[in-house]
Amino acid sequence: MRWCSVLLGLLLLRLGLHALRGLILPGTSPVVVPGVHAVCRASYGRFVLGAGDEYGRRYSSFPEGLRKEMREMARGMFSFGYDSYMKYAFPEDELNPILCRGRGPDHGDPSNLNINDVLGNYSLTLIDALDTLAVMGNATEFHRAVRLVIDTVSFDKNSTVQVFEATIRILGSLLSAHIILTDSKQPFGNMTLSGYDNELLHMARDLAVRLLPAFENTKTGMPYPRVNLKKGVPPDSRNETCTAGAGSLLVEFGILSRLLGDSTFEWVARRAVRALWSLRSNDTGLLGNVVNIQTGQWVGKQSGLGAGLDSFFEYLLKSHILFGEEEDLEMFNEAYKSIQNHLRRGREACNEGEGDPPLYVNVNMLNGQLMNTWIDSLQAFFPGLQVLKGDIEDAICLHAFYYAIWKRYGALPERYNWQLQAPDVSFYPLRPELVESTYLLYQATKNPFYLHVGMDILLSLEKHAKAKCGYATLHHVVDKSQEDRMESFFLSETCKYLYLLFDEDNPLHRVDNKYLFTTEGHLIPLDPRLRDTSWQDIFHNKNKVQQTQEKLSQTKLRTANSSTNCYKVPEERRFSLPLKSVYMRQIDQMVGLL
């Protein structure tokens, strides 16, 4: 009887094991999730995928040797573009990489704003690339480039430029390079320059003074969009400006004020931000994308995350991080809440539940109603901003959507119609926003998935954008035809973020080094000097718009549409997909990949 019982027990055990095996997919193995809080386990416990999953097989690891190879490819990409500019284009503003010659302002056609807003006849590409040279540890070329800027560049030019572009590309780079030169820590190696006497800081002030007339004679305090560097605001200047152009000057102007001890620059930039903030809708809390600087009336009522609005939101948060002003954080939190309530569509959680993938759409600022069915490539910056805010889960989902578009075309079309699953505007000017968000998400999660994304981007650029003397804009993302222009942000941002993504040991990534990137990708350290001013009373706003009764903090802001998973990514999740394969497949289907 006893043996019968034993045999029966063994038989039942064997049958039970067979039944259990039938519930486990071939090629998978049980996974133990140690030491994770119960709340986190509910969110993350189902992310680990077996070797039998196609997404898991592709993205679950990234060999060290391959990472170093990609780092050197990114370095080589920058070097080829930079060296070609210096050989064929300097001292002009940009490189034409197909014809191998330089490009400056279009003096023959002042209405050619696509060129003239950016090119000011001041060696734009060289200045914009300064801190990328330092990040890559090239002290010799960094010193040579700084000397060239000091010796050859002047802002006393009859050039009419966009205030926003001159601020983020030129002013921001001069400030960043000056800080690198004078930093006592010298994290990138010895970047000090013998005989340097703050010339870049003086040049930054000279440029900013030439931009100040844009803030004069406006009834709202918001600046004119363009200014002539020699003559001031042109007589025929428009009164309409975009929200980002008027409200994204605070970081660079604030840094300059705090380094000089002169409140003028920060004051005018902060006044413009407050003016815009006061015009947001009472019903939705949203802002439009084009405003009249004299009347304060909204000319464009579209509210979204892309062109015309993007860096306004970015600089609310980054200004707070740099300067510690509580007002900036409060505005950002309120803006983020309105974005989540009115722009976000799709299921509530990124990695849980049923429904469409989360997506941020363009709506009417007054009522939150959908205005169109396209999004633009500039919106790809937003996952990176969500990383800074701490909303990693939503960042993962939105980033995956843009990556899926990249996989389909090998680039990001300037506008993509998510309803038609096709580009609305088909060119790609080598923009950095997707790379930036990829880099920041990798720093937040250390998930190898993002190294694969970076490799896909890098290889696509090498294959489709490389030209005889640099890297060219893609005129059409479908047929991959090229356009003879290499914008300066390709070297200052796209190449920099790609390099840093794969350079795990870069001094920038050390625990004791804390930096922030401007909207043009320029490095600014989190320096106590930037939080110490003597003019706080000047900035105190007696007519400050009434805040909500409950003060929202950066880590506590969660809305009904915002995911509520843990902020710290558990260790085991770094070896699985950041987004469940079923949701990745859903996004791929959404853009027509499957």
Side-chain angles (χ1 to χ4, degrees):
M1 246 346 246
R2 183 177 300 171
W3 282 106
C4 289
S5 299
V6 171
L7 288 173
L8 181 61
L10 289 173
L11 179 61
L12 291 173
L13 177 61
R14 185 173 184 181
L15 290 172
L17 288 172
H18 275 287
L20 181 60
R21 185 182 302 169
L23 295 176
I24 301 177
L25 295 175
T28 64
S29 57
V31 178
V32 179
V33 184
V36 182
H37 190 274
V39 175
C40 291
R41 184 179 295 121
S43 302
Y44 298 133
R46 288 167 282 176
F47 279 83
V48 181
L49 300 171
D53 184 276
E54 58 181 296
Y55 292 92
R57 284 197 304 269
R58 179 177 179 186
Y59 297 114
S60 60
S61 64
F62 201 90
E64 177 66 12
L66 183 59
R67 183 186 64 77
K68 292 180 178 178
E69 181 182 342
M70 292 299 104
R71 180 192 64 193
E72 294 311 306
M73 183 179 288
R75 189 201 302 271
M77 178 177 285
F78 171 81
S79 297
F80 181 54
Y82 176 82
D83 292 345
S84 295
Y85 166 77
M86 295 303 296
K87 181 178 181 180
Y88 298 107
F90 177 78
E92 295 196 68
D93 287 308
E94 284 182 351
L95 169 68
N96 287 0
I98 297 176
L99 294 179
C100 303
R101 64 189 185 191
R103 179 201 294 266
D106 187 353
H107 295 298
D109 182 11
S111 66
N112 186 1
L113 300 181
N114 185 44
I115 296 297
N116 293 330
D117 271 359
V118 178
L119 309 189
N121 194 21
Y122 38 34
S123 301
L124 169 65
T125 296
L126 175 63
I127 295 178
D128 216 359
L130 287 176
D131 66 326
T132 307
L133 291 166
V135 166
M136 293 186 178
N138 192 343
T140 300
E141 187 58 29
F142 176 70
H143 292 154
R144 185 174 86 95
V146 168
R147 279 294 175 205
L148 279 173
V149 170
I150 293 172
D151 294 339
T152 67
V153 174
S154 169
F155 299 124
D156 189 26
K157 299 286 179 66
N158 185 24
S159 298
T160 299
V161 296
Q162 192 184 80
V163 174
F164 170 72
E165 294 290 356
T167 297
I168 66 169
R169 300 199 197 200
I170 299 292
L171 181 59
S173 188
L174 291 172
L175 293 170
S176 177
H178 166 73
I179 292 172
I180 290 171
L181 285 163
T182 57
D183 188 349
S184 60
K185 295 181 179 179
Q186 289 297 303
F188 303 108
N190 185 10
M191 296 292 164
T192 59
L193 184 61
S194 177
Y196 178 71
D197 191 25
N198 299 327
E199 288 93 342
L200 296 186
L201 180 61
H202 299 320
M203 292 180 69
R205 183 187 181 279
D206 177 45
L207 175 60
V209 168
R210 295 174 186 274
L211 299 177
L212 282 179
F215 295 86
E216 299 171 0
N217 301 317
T218 74
K219 296 178 181 178
T220 63
M222 293 180 283
Y224 285 94
R226 296 170 186 86
V227 66
N228 185 285
L229 296 178
K230 188 182 286 255
K231 302 176 182 177
V233 177
D236 59 347
S237 185
R238 299 177 181 177
N239 287 327
E240 290 79 32
T241 190
C242 70
T243 302
S248 304
L249 310 172
L250 184 53
V251 165
E252 288 83 3
F253 274 49
I255 293 168
L256 180 63
S257 275
R258 290 165 190 249
L259 290 179
L260 293 174
D262 180 353
S263 65
T264 303
F265 308 101
E266 182 173 349
W267 186 82
V268 296
R270 190 170 291 280
R271 181 180 61 173
V273 171
R274 288 172 175 166
L276 281 165
W277 187 248
S278 70
L279 299 176
R280 69 194 192 283
S281 167
N282 291 328
D283 295 324
T284 65
L286 298 173
L287 296 92
N289 59 346
V290 181
V291 66
N292 186 299
I293 63 171
Q294 300 294 354
T295 66
Q297 297 296 310
W298 290 107
V299 179
K301 295 183 175 64
Q302 177 175 298
S303 191
L305 298 178
L309 278 155
D310 50 353
S311 53
F312 175 78
F313 304 122
E314 178 185 2
Y315 269 19
L316 290 178
L317 181 56
K318 289 185 176 180
S319 295
H320 169 72
I321 293 172
L322 277 177
F323 308 134
E325 299 290 343
E326 197 68 21
E327 175 188 8
D328 299 330
L329 179 60
E330 291 169 356
M331 286 189 288
F332 173 79
N333 282 336
E334 283 297 304
Y336 193 82
K337 183 171 66 173
S338 296
I339 289 168
Q340 296 289 40
N341 287 338
H342 298 288
L343 272 60
R344 192 181 187 277
R345 301 290 192 271
R347 62 178 175 270
E348 179 178 337
C350 172
N351 268 304
E352 301 289 339
E354 303 291 332
D356 293 332
L359 181 68
Y360 293 83
V361 299
N362 299 317
V363 303
N364 187 305
M365 63 167 290
L366 300 178
N367 53 30
Q369 295 299 308
L370 186 71
M371 289 193 71
N372 50 57
T373 58
W374 55 260
I375 44 89
D376 65 51
S377 63
L378 287 169
Q379 185 181 314
F381 92 99
F382 197 66
L385 185 63
Q386 289 181 306
V387 169
L388 291 185
K389 187 222 169 287
D391 199 352
I392 306 287
E393 292 302 329
D394 257 21
I396 286 170
C397 261
L398 185 58
H399 174 274
F401 172 67
Y402 276 96
Y403 174 48
I405 299 173
W406 185 282
K407 285 191 294 182
R408 180 174 178 186
Y409 298 106
L412 276 187
E414 192 71 351
R415 283 185 184 176
Y416 176 80
N417 193 306
W418 45 267
Q419 187 174 69
L420 300 178
Q421 296 186 350
D424 270 0
V425 179
S426 298
F427 72 91
Y428 170 62
L430 311 180
R431 290 199 187 278
E433 283 76 16
L434 178 61
V435 189
E436 175 188 9
S437 289
T438 302
Y439 165 67
L440 291 172
L441 272 165
Y442 179 69
Q443 289 301 311
T445 66
K446 294 300 180 182
N447 194 299
F449 170 80
Y450 297 105
L451 297 177
H452 284 277
V453 175
M455 182 171 70
D456 283 353
I457 295 172
L458 188 56
L459 296 178
S460 293
L461 291 172
E462 279 291 322
K463 181 179 180 180
H464 301 303
K466 195 169 187 177
K468 182 180 179 181
C469 302
Y471 293 84
T473 292
L474 293 184
H475 181 71
H476 201 292
V477 298
V478 176
D479 63 24
K480 304 301 186 294
S481 55
Q482 293 183 343
E483 187 176 313
D484 200 9
R485 186 178 188 185
M486 186 179 83
E487 294 231 32
S488 67
F489 53 64
F490 177 69
L491 299 182
S492 70
E493 297 185 81
T494 308
C495 290
K496 180 187 290 154
Y497 287 127
L498 281 170
Y499 178 80
L500 287 172
L501 175 65
F502 296 109
D503 190 23
E504 196 74 41
D505 300 323
N506 193 279
L508 195 67
H509 301 145
R510 294 175 188 161
V511 175
D512 56 338
N513 292 331
K514 293 181 172 59
Y515 286 83
L516 191 72
F517 293 96
T518 70
T519 195
E520 185 71 10
H522 296 307
L523 284 174
I524 302 296
L526 302 188
D527 190 328
R529 291 180 302 167
L530 299 179
R531 292 192 167 213
D532 184 18
T533 68
S534 58
W535 56 72
Q536 293 301 321
D537 290 342
I538 298 176
F539 291 152
H540 181 67
N541 189 358
K542 296 180 180 179
N543 298 318
K544 189 175 179 181
V545 178
Q546 184 177 2
Q547 302 294 328
T548 54
Q549 291 182 354
E550 180 182 359
K551 204 173 200 180
L552 300 173
S553 71
Q554 185 174 351
T555 56
K556 290 182 179 179
L557 173 61
R558 317 304 293 177
T559 65
N561 280 330
S562 183
S563 55
T564 55
N565 292 328
C566 302
Y567 291 99
K568 186 176 181 181
V569 177
E571 182 70 21
E572 73 279 353
R573 190 171 172 192
R574 297 180 182 180
F575 304 100
S576 61
L577 290 174
L579 187 63
K580 294 178 184 178
S581 61
V582 63
Y583 294 134
M584 283 193 173
R585 190 171 291 108
Q586 183 188 35
I587 290 175
D588 285 351
Q589 290 171 340
M590 181 180 176
V591 303
L593 269 174
L594 300 177

